[in-house]
């Protein structure tokens, strides 16, 4: 079968396409490889649901943005049939989705800044669980693992086997109706994309990436001149922002807790069986529960297995709890820089340069945009790489780039002008930058 792949790829690529484009080549070769192998259904969710209903099996859906390199190791081990999870995958109907074009957003609600996400579903569309997370742009170690995926798959099989008894507890794993039913219906995406990939033309350019869905949601509020809601700006909060460190090799097992944080009531070794009544298969399930919590705060109720006994644990969330999370690593932060910092990328400083106050805001301007346009607006205003930002719109308490994003997206509107204060070579300078769509 391997010797046929080059021929199959050649037949798949239209003669007038730039076949040497590495990203284009990668997507097309992936399609040929997966379809030739036959183990996964390729980009055909209706077929997967039909097979699951017929076979009485659950469904595993892998959403994987092929051109993206992040989390690629995890995906390669999965598709190459890792021996730890192959026997588990055999018990599922398996479908691989490589773009969000036409994706049902009422069902597939997840952290759109991921390039790898996994859904475990019952044939009737009930969500058994989610898998896949990261808290760094390129590094997933510490968040997910093959061991963790294997345990999530086994947990999904257990839920499926007892579906009638657990169905009611799974209802909350599905969220409210989305702003638009599918990604290409968002106004910011509608003019460029359709519900299907264009294999007759440029496949990569026709693909709606996961992060573009998240960006489209933010664009929706920005264009309406409304503050970006907390749950949109700080989606799927990472448990570590609350002091809850989970073991990536387990389903939802506490590895450590940070004293003084909301999660301090948990103990290392706790196996979190349920959160707000929902059974958990992974850290992504924990994030889903947190994502659905109100930004005003509240109590997260947990059932943990501790010392062989089931113990109730409560985690109290204060108003503004979401803002403890870091969003600067996310792919969608590129759009936030366009809208909120006029294209500046801001890094935290370990040492403060001369002229910078000892306390308060001190963020180094690491990038100002090279080619003009919205991402070059800060450069056009006179801001330079290496400047130290010490005030933004009169605020000196915005200590992270994330905090600047939040102020710009929630307190300012497109069309507003913001005064920023920087220190350059020991001198303090003021500049005006535009808030943009």
């Amino acid at each position: 079968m391997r010797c046929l792949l080059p021929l199959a790829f050649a037949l798949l690529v239209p003669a007038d396409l730039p076949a040497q484009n590495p990203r284009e080549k990668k997507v097309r070769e992936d399609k040929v490889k997966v379809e030739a192998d036959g183990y996964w259904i390729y980009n055909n969710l209706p077929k997967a649901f039909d097979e699951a209903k017929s076979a009485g099996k659950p469904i595993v859906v892998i959403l994987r943005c092929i051109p993206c390199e992040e989390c690629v190791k995890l995906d390669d081990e999965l598709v190459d049939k890792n021996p730890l999870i192959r026997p588990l995958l055999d018990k599922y109907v398996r479908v691989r989705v490589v773009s969000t074009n036409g994706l049902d957003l009422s069902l597939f609600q997840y952290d759109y800044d991921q390039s790898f996400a996994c859904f475990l579903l019952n044939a009737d569309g009930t969500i058994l669980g989610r898998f896949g997370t990261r808290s760094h742009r390129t590094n997933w170690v510490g968040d997910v693992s093959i061991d963790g995926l294997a345990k999530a798959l086994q947990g999904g099989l257990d839920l499926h086997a007892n579906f009638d008894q657990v169905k009611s507890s799974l209802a909350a794993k599905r969220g409210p109706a989305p702003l638009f039913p599918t990604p290409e219906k968002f106004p910011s995406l509608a003019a460029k994309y359709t519900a299907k990939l264009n294999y007759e033309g440029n496949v990569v350019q026709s693909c709606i990436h996961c992060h573009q869905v998240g960006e489209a949601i933010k664009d929706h509020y920005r264009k309406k001149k409304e503050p970006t809601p907390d749950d949109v700006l700080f989606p799927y909060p990472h448990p570590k922002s609350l002091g809850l460190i989970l073991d990536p090799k387990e389903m939802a097992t506490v590895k450590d807790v940070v004293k003084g944080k909301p999660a301090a009531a948990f103990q290392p070794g706790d196996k979190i069986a349920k959160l707000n009544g929902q059974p958990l298969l992974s850290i992504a399930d924990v994030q889903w529960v947190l994502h659905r919590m109100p930004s005003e705060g509240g109590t997260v109720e947990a059932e943990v297995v501790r010392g062989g006994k089931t113990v109730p644990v409560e985690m109290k969330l204060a108003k503004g709890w979401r803002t403890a999370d870091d969003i600067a690593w996310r792919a969608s932060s590129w759009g936030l820089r366009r809208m909120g910092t006029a294209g500046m990328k801001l890094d935290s400083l370990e040492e403060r340069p001369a002229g910078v106050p000892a306390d308060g805001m001190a963020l180094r301007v690491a990038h100002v945009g090279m080619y003009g346009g919205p991402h070059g607006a800060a450069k056009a205003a006179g801001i330079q790489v290496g400047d130290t930002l010490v005030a933004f719109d009169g605020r000196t308490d915005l200590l992270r780039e994330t905090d600047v994003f939040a102020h710009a997206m929630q307190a300012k509107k497109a069309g507003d002008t913001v005064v920023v204060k920087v220190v350059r070579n020991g001198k303090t300078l003021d500049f005006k930058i535009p808030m943009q769509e």
Side-chain angles (χ1 to χ4, degrees):
M1 184 64 70
R2 288 181 181 271
C3 64
L4 296 178
L5 286 181
L7 175 60
F9 175 63
L11 294 174
L12 184 64
V13 180
D16 58 345
L17 282 184
Q20 298 306 311
N21 182 309
R23 299 180 74 196
E24 188 79 11
K25 184 173 182 286
K26 185 175 183 179
V27 174
R28 292 178 181 276
E29 285 184 337
D30 177 77
K31 184 175 188 294
V32 171
K33 176 183 176 182
V34 175
E35 290 185 333
D37 182 78
Y39 190 66
W40 292 82
I41 297 171
Y42 195 86
N43 243 23
N44 192 336
L45 283 165
K47 181 179 179 181
F49 278 103
D50 288 343
E51 287 194 11
K53 290 173 184 176
S54 176
K57 290 183 175 183
I59 305 167
V60 55
V61 180
I62 300 297
L63 296 116
R64 169 76 169 98
C65 184
I66 300 303
C68 296
E69 296 298 331
E70 293 84 356
C71 296
V72 67
K73 182 175 184 291
L74 180 65
D75 184 58
D76 284 347
E77 291 189 23
L78 172 67
V79 175
D80 290 343
K81 306 170 191 61
N82 180 278
L84 181 63
I85 62 174
R86 176 61 181 256
L88 299 167
L89 288 174
D90 287 344
K91 299 176 182 179
Y92 284 85
V93 172
R94 304 160 300 275
V95 58
R96 183 176 173 87
V97 177
V98 298
S99 79
T100 66
N101 301 61
L103 192 68
D104 180 0
L105 296 181
S106 67
L107 175 59
F108 293 100
Q109 297 179 13
Y110 58 102
D111 187 344
Y112 298 119
D113 276 302
Q114 308 300 332
S115 62
F116 174 95
C118 173
F119 273 71
L120 305 179
L121 305 170
N122 196 59
D124 67 352
T126 300
I127 298 171
L128 304 174
R130 295 168 171 82
F131 181 88
T133 192
R134 58 194 164 108
S135 54
H136 187 278
R137 189 178 66 83
T138 59
N139 183 15
W140 53 267
V141 175
D143 288 321
V144 293
S145 71
I146 290 295
D147 290 333
L149 175 57
K151 289 176 181 175
L153 289 168
Q154 182 58 60
L157 292 170
D158 294 341
L159 291 176
H160 180 261
N162 298 284
F163 185 69
D164 289 341
Q165 289 74 42
V166 301
K167 183 175 181 179
S168 61
S169 68
L170 299 172
K173 287 180 178 275
R174 190 158 181 163
L179 291 170
F180 295 91
T182 56
E184 70 280 357
K185 298 294 184 182
F186 277 89
S188 61
L189 299 175
K192 186 175 180 181
Y193 299 99
T194 66
K196 294 183 178 180
L197 291 175
N198 179 19
Y199 281 101
E200 300 302 316
N202 191 312
V203 181
V204 172
Q205 288 186 3
S206 72
C207 173
I208 303 176
H209 299 265
C210 295
H211 68 84
Q212 289 178 281
V213 181
E215 290 166 2
I217 296 171
K218 297 179 181 70
D219 287 344
H220 171 79
Y221 291 99
R222 192 66 165 181
K223 285 181 169 58
K224 292 178 67 177
K225 295 187 180 296
E226 295 180 1
T228 307
D230 272 356
D231 63 335
V232 172
L233 194 58
F234 294 90
Y236 299 88
H238 199 287
K240 70 180 182 181
S241 69
L242 302 174
L244 182 61
I245 314 301
L246 297 177
D247 188 340
K249 294 184 178 181
E250 301 294 336
M251 289 201 295
T253 300
V254 180
K255 186 176 182 180
D256 201 0
V257 294
V258 179
K259 292 182 179 180
K261 294 284 189 175
F266 290 96
Q267 295 181 11
D270 283 350
K271 295 183 179 180
I272 309 176
K274 290 185 178 180
L275 212 56
N276 281 357
Q278 299 178 38
L280 306 177
L281 300 183
S282 75
I283 187 176
D285 279 345
V286 175
Q287 287 179 279
W288 169 254
V289 174
L290 295 176
H291 180 64
R292 301 309 313 161
M293 287 294 295
S295 298
E296 291 74 20
T299 301
V300 180
E301 297 181 351
E303 292 180 19
V304 307
V305 178
R306 180 185 296 168
K309 298 180 179 179
T310 300
V311 180
V313 173
E314 290 187 346
M315 181 166 58
K316 303 287 187 179
L317 302 179
K319 184 178 180 180
W321 64 274
R322 285 179 181 271
T323 61
D325 204 10
D326 174 36
I327 60 174
W329 66 268
R330 295 174 171 274
S332 59
S333 65
W334 180 247
L336 295 177
R337 293 185 183 104
R338 180 194 78 240
M339 292 184 279
T341 67
M344 286 187 290
K345 182 182 184 302
L346 305 172
D347 291 344
S348 297
L349 285 170
E350 294 184 2
E351 296 184 8
R352 294 177 177 240
V356 175
D359 298 314
M361 188 176 187
L363 296 172
R364 179 181 180 274
V365 178
H367 186 74
V368 291
M370 296 174 59
Y371 304 109
H375 282 279
K379 181 178 181 180
I383 297 174
Q384 298 178 7
V385 171
D387 288 346
T388 301
L389 195 66
V390 295
F392 184 93
D393 195 33
R395 296 280 298 270
T396 60
D397 58 339
L398 306 177
L399 305 183
R400 307 172 298 166
E401 185 181 44
T402 287
D403 302 327
V404 178
F405 289 156
H407 180 77
M409 299 300 291
Q410 296 181 323
K412 313 304 294 185
K413 301 182 182 69
D416 290 348
T417 298
V418 167
V419 175
V420 298
K421 190 182 296 292
V422 307
V423 174
R424 180 188 300 165
N425 298 326
K427 296 182 179 180
T428 301
L429 305 171
D430 287 346
F431 297 97
K432 294 180 179 180
I433 62 171
M435 297 291 95
Q436 306 175 105
E437 284 191 353

